[in-house]
Structures are given as structure tokens and as C-alpha cells.
Amino acid sequence: MSRVRRKAAAVFAVAAVLAVSACSSNTPTTTSTNSGAATKNVQVFTWWAAGGEKAGLDGMISVFKKDCSQYTFVNAAVAGGGGDKAKTLLANNLKAGNAPSSFQAHAGGELSDYIANGQVEDITSLFKAAGLDSAFPKTLVDQITVAGKIYSVPADIHRANMVWVNPVVLKKANIDPKKAPATVKDWIADLAKLKAAGVATPLVLSKGFAEEMLLESTLLGDLGVEKFNGLYDGSTKWDGADVTAALGDFKALVSYSNTDRETMDWDAAMSKYLMPTDVATATGGYQLMGDWVPAQLLSLKVPDSAYTYWPAPGTDGVYQWLSDSFTLPKGGTNAAGAQCWLKVVGSADGQKAFNLVKGSIPARSDATSAGYPAYQQWAMTQWKSSKLAPSLAHGSAGPGAWNNDVQTAMSAFSANPDVASLQKTLAAAAAKYSNWRSTLG
Ligand code: BGC
């Protein structure tokens, strides 16, 4: 067990004891604002509106239709990668007392926002009654537990630090698409080779969270996992010289990307540059993106043989994880129906139907890799053997407000790539949110 895992497991052990003592046999008490026919509706809010993401949600819905046939699924998905639009709309709806039956939230800091705001129910009893307390890895249960109480049901584990590669484009500079550059600097050298060979978009990049993911992978690759994790627990300084050097590498990486990056989301950038319908016309070499990519490519009928992938340079052996989970909002519509949905989310059948086509792996520890596409089979073995790092871009490392500040800094940097001012902003954001855990009960 790595140090990171050992530490998380130890925290979990305390949380678990508290969870048991806090637990009662009652089901959560949520008042439904719906009555009569409307109570059949279970309105589920996500940002999985198209492509591989929608395919994953549809898989889960198919199990809901079977196991919760007394209810009607109402899809309240709002498009926008990483939930950029969905999260703002959700925050407004929750404030206005207009909660859905259940909504998607990342395990970790992002979920803690809703807990701190008193917007989600304690579902410890439901969790235990469905046997979920022993179904998930301890490290993950820790991320959905605050003061001994559990607030969501995890659906999956995704990996953020992945690079997707177009072999046809790399061939133009005689670069082996299967071999990951060992370090960030080696990757920059390959990007320069592609550019010299006439490749228009060596690195495919898109707005907001994608730029933040590239930033986090660069920090992870350059600093190593222990120091990287320290950026989020306060033990590594954001204004240190090693961060300055990593931000210099980040600047170099961005300089090899498409200049229209601020105008498009990850999936549009992928289809425009990395994997257009006619792959032979691709002008993009690499795209750093989470492993919802294989699902997207599957939904676009791109064969596995058309691309390769590897962990971001310098991050081999580290799983920068994130987990989508589902909540029971306070005052949400149809609490009983929502609980049926949550049981499906946590069930072996629900997780299989979802993860098979979402690119992610099941959050449940009892899942086997049989029947999964090659990518997920590989990911399952990686998940078991890797050290863990969290992601701010996808909620596992810190609260949403911190993430928003970093994304604002990303678009400022995209317009004016100044390392010193970026580092100042990142250090200020870290200082502003460093105590977020202490705001929780
Ligand atoms: C979610 C994934 C989703 C991705 C892109 C992430 O924040 O966890 O489920 O596929 O955003 O929208």
C-alpha cells in the first residue's frame, strides 16, 4: 500500500467508526414537494448530454427502468464538459429551492460544498441498508463521508492524467505512438518535432477544465506524486521554484496547441483536430483528457486501432482519480424515487451497464473486468497498482470555488501566457481555500 493510500485508509478508518455510530435504521427523511402522478417522476441532473457520456447514463437508466419500474426517469442533463454550465445552473436551482430528485457531484471537495451548504441529505442508512458500505474502496468512501455521515453514492472511477494519441499524425515525425515520453521535457521535444514536420496542431487543447487538466498533469509530472498532493494539503508551496519551473513547461505545452482553444469544448476539439471523421485528415497529434475519451470514440464508431494512449509524461504509476457520485438533495422532488435511483447507481448491475460504455471503471471493488473494452481492463489493473492523486478540475482535490478561480486563471493565461502572474494567482487561490476542510462539521 502506498503512503497516499495508507494515509487515506487511516482517515477512512476513523470516518467509518463515526459513520457506524451516527447511523440509524431509519431511511433518510426528505419531504417531497410533488404529489399524485408527478411523484412518479425521478428527475436526475447531470452534464452527460451527448456522446459517450449520454451512452453511460442511458446504460444506468436501462437498469433503473427494470429495478424501479414504478417510477419514471426524467433526464435533466445540461450539456457542457466537466459540468461548466450544469454546476452554475444547479447552484442557482438549489438556492431557489428548486432541487431535482438527484444530482451528479464529484466525490471529494466538490461534494463537500453541497454538504457544507446543507443542500444534501445524509444517506448513511440507505448506504448501509444496500450493503454499499463494504462495496467501495475505503479511500473512496472517505471522500463521500463528512463527520461520519455519507452523502452520495459513487458511480465510477475516472482517470484524468491520460494522453490520447493519433498514430497517423505522429508518423509524420517518426515518433512511436505507443511509447510515452518519459518526462514533460521529452514530450515538449516531441511536440517541437511534430511542429517542425509541419503538423499544425501538435497538442489539441480546449477551454476551461481541459487547460486546468493540462496544468495539473504538468505539475504532477514535474513535481512527482507526493509533492503534487502536497499542493492540495498545504505541504507544498504554490510559490516555490519547482512550481515556477513546471509552469514554464506548461507555457511551452500550451504554445504547441490550437489557438482557438478558448472557443471549444474537449469533444469538439477532439473531433476537429485529433480524430476527425476521416482520421487520415487529422492535424492534431496529442490530446490530454480524462478517460471519458474511449467512450466518446466508441460512440463515434472510431475503432480502438485508430488511436493509442498512455499516462501523461512523468505520471506513469499514478492514477489521478475522480469519481462521479449521486446525491439526495434536501427538498428534492420524489425522495423515495430518488432512493431507488441511488440504489441502482450503487448496484453491480447499474455500475456495469454504466461503466461499460462510459470509459470509466466501476467504483465497486467486487467488479471484474470480464466483458469490458480493452481500455477499462487495463485501467482496472492500473487502479489496483497505482499511487493516487486527486484532481481539482474534477472535484476530488478541493472545493468548486477554488476550481473556478483556477479556471479563470487558465483563460487569462491562454490570452496572455505570463508565468509569474499565473503563479501569483494560483498561490493566492490556494491560500484562500486552504482551510476548506475545516468548514465541514
Ligand atoms: C466527469 C465525467 C465527464 C467529464 C467530461 C468530468 O467532470 O466526472 O463524468 O465525462 O467531466 O464532461
Side-chain angles (χ1 to χ4, degrees):
M1 205 194 274
S2 74
R3 242 172 79 189
V4 181
R5 277 180 194 267
R6 267 203 308 271
K7 194 169 156 197
V11 176
F12 167 73
V14 176
V17 171
L18 293 172
V20 171
S21 57
C23 161
S24 80
S25 59
N26 300 330
T27 48
T29 50
T30 303
T31 40
S32 170
T33 50
N34 276 3
S35 62
T39 57
K40 276 178 152 290
N41 289 350
V42 176
Q43 193 196 31
V44 176
F45 188 94
T46 69
W47 58 86
W48 297 329
E53 302 185 345
K54 179 170 184 301
L57 180 60
D58 286 346
M60 193 76 93
I61 295 171
S62 68
V63 179
F64 176 82
K65 282 190 175 154
K66 198 159 46 78
D67 291 3
C68 307
S69 55
Q70 68 275 38
Y71 298 111
T72 307
F73 189 91
V74 178
N75 191 341
V78 173
D84 60 345
K85 290 189 193 66
K87 284 190 234 166
T88 312
L89 183 67
L90 177 66
N92 292 339
N93 284 347
L94 293 179
K95 247 193 204 149
N98 202 4
S101 310
S102 182
F103 64 83
Q104 170 190 2
H106 288 121
E110 184 183 305
L111 177 69
S112 300
D113 289 342
Y114 301 112
I115 301 171
N117 292 338
Q119 291 165 324
V120 285
E121 294 283 357
D122 163 12
I123 58 162
T124 313
S125 50
L126 175 149
F127 207 81
K128 285 186 72 90
L132 299 180
D133 47 339
S134 55
F136 299 109
K138 293 174 174 184
T139 43
L140 181 57
V141 176
D142 182 43
Q143 302 293 324
I144 53 170
T145 304
V146 167
K149 295 175 181 163
I150 292 175
Y151 290 90
S152 70
V153 178
D156 63 9
I157 305 284
H158 267 304
R159 187 176 193 178
N161 58 318
M162 289 297 300
V163 175
W164 310 90
V165 184
N166 185 323
V168 176
V169 175
L170 264 63
K171 209 161 177 230
K172 296 183 180 164
N174 287 321
I175 299 173
D176 180 355
K178 293 201 173 128
K179 195 167 174 280
T183 64
V184 175
K185 290 257 191 288
D186 292 341
W187 195 23
I188 295 170
D190 283 350
L191 289 163
K193 278 189 210 158
L194 283 177
K195 194 163 185 185
V199 171
T201 311
L203 181 61
V204 179
L205 193 54
S206 57
K207 66 181 175 179
F209 80 92
E211 292 168 334
E212 187 182 7
M213 288 177 78
L214 184 66
L215 170 77
E216 289 198 275
S217 297
T218 310
L219 288 163
L220 182 57
D222 278 352
L223 268 57
V225 64
E226 308 287 346
K227 271 195 167 180
F228 175 84
N229 289 346
L231 291 169
Y232 295 117
D233 70 17
S235 58
T236 302
K237 287 190 178 321
W238 281 88
D239 55 8
D242 44 3
V243 172
T244 315
L247 297 184
D249 284 345
F250 175 62
K251 179 176 172 168
L253 290 171
V254 172
S255 76
Y256 288 104
S257 72
N258 42 306
T259 51
D260 61 358
R261 55 187 172 261
E262 285 294 306
T263 67
M264 62 184 74
D265 218 337
W266 69 277
D267 46 350
M270 179 160 272
S271 291
K272 182 170 178 185
Y273 295 113
L274 192 81
M275 285 286 146
T277 315
D278 178 0
V279 174
T281 65
T283 56
Y286 309 97
Q287 186 168 359
L288 183 135
M289 188 42 59
D291 59 7
W292 36 92
V293 165
Q296 178 69 2
L297 295 176
L298 184 70
S299 81
L300 296 173
K301 304 205 170 19
V302 175
D304 287 4
S305 55
Y307 62 96
T308 59
Y309 48 79
W310 19 260
T315 74
D316 196 16
V318 182
Y319 213 102
Q320 193 190 14
W321 72 276
L322 57 116
S323 172
D324 295 298
S325 71
F326 281 89
T327 60
L328 184 63
K330 283 214 168 121
T333 56
N334 197 354
Q339 288 173 44
C340 204
W341 165 252
L342 292 179
K343 281 183 205 152
V344 169
V345 170
S347 70
D349 281 0
Q351 300 224 334
K352 186 150 193 186
F354 174 80
N355 287 289
L356 269 175
V357 285
K358 179 69 173 63
S360 41
I361 59 174
R364 291 181 65 104
S365 317
D366 59 2
T368 56
S369 62
Y372 276 87
Y375 173 77
Q376 282 105 311
Q377 299 214 5
W378 175 75
M380 284 185 210
T381 62
Q382 289 269 302
W383 170 245
K384 290 197 187 110
S385 60
S386 300
K387 291 187 174 185
L388 301 183
S391 152
L392 185 65
H394 301 286
S396 46
W402 188 352
N403 179 34
N404 290 343
D405 279 10
V406 174
Q407 288 201 14
T408 305
M410 290 294 90
S411 77
F413 185 80
S414 179
N416 174 25
D418 180 54
V419 165
S421 78
L422 175 61
Q423 188 164 15
K424 214 170 141 203
T425 311
L426 293 175
K432 194 160 144 200
Y433 301 109
S434 61
N435 286 330
W436 67 272
R437 282 189 186 84
S438 65
T439 60
L440 301 164

